[in-house]
Amino acid sequence: MAEPERQPRLRPAPLIFEPAEASADPEHFFDLESLEDPRELLSRATELTHAFRAAADRSMEFQAIAAAQLADPRRFDRLTAADIAERAQWTEDYAKKMVDFGRDLLRGTTEPTA
């Protein structure tokens, strides 16, 4: 079977990841709780908010690409919109929109989030 054509690798959002021991503490969140200066806290929390939004956007684009690939009529094991919706816990209507969005991304007619 032929290897599928690889899409260019997209950069993930710039997140700063916490060490495993710090994330085990439920009160610890990216060291925000240790910041005493409210200006610094606002700045760092805003940075994290933007990073998480960018990560969510990128993740959604990968969901759309996967949905489009799973719904590809050339696949012998393709899934219906209802099947995709069930797997992703979406409505069927939303799954159809995500398949269309994913197809646009794969064709390059929609710009991915940077």
Side-chain angles (χ1 to χ4, degrees):
M1 185 168 160
E3 178 89 14
E5 185 177 319
R6 295 198 182 256
Q7 297 297 318
R9 190 155 207 194
L10 304 171
R11 291 183 323 167
L15 289 178
I16 299 172
F17 293 95
E18 298 185 283
E21 64 273 1
S23 62
D25 179 2
E27 296 299 315
H28 186 82
F29 188 73
F30 289 89
D31 209 28
L32 292 179
E33 71 286 343
S34 69
L35 298 177
E36 294 182 16
D37 178 5
R39 288 181 184 100
E40 187 179 353
L41 177 60
L42 178 61
S43 177
R44 181 68 181 125
T46 301
E47 286 175 1
L48 285 170
T49 299
H50 291 300
F52 285 131
R53 284 182 185 151
D57 289 346
R58 297 294 295 134
S59 180
M60 182 199 52
E61 289 171 355
F62 280 105
Q63 283 182 310
I65 289 169
Q69 290 171 335
L70 289 169
D72 188 337
R74 296 172 295 186
R75 289 178 62 113
F76 76 93
D77 61 345
R78 70 182 167 270
L79 298 178
T80 66
D83 293 331
I84 294 169
E86 184 179 337
R87 285 177 181 233
Q89 299 176 348
W90 297 331
T91 65
E92 188 173 345
D93 188 47
Y94 186 75
K96 290 176 185 175
K97 290 177 183 180
M98 288 295 277
V99 167
D100 290 341
F101 179 50
R103 287 178 178 153
D104 288 344
L105 287 169
L106 289 169
R107 279 193 297 265
T109 57
T110 299
E111 283 296 313
T113 304

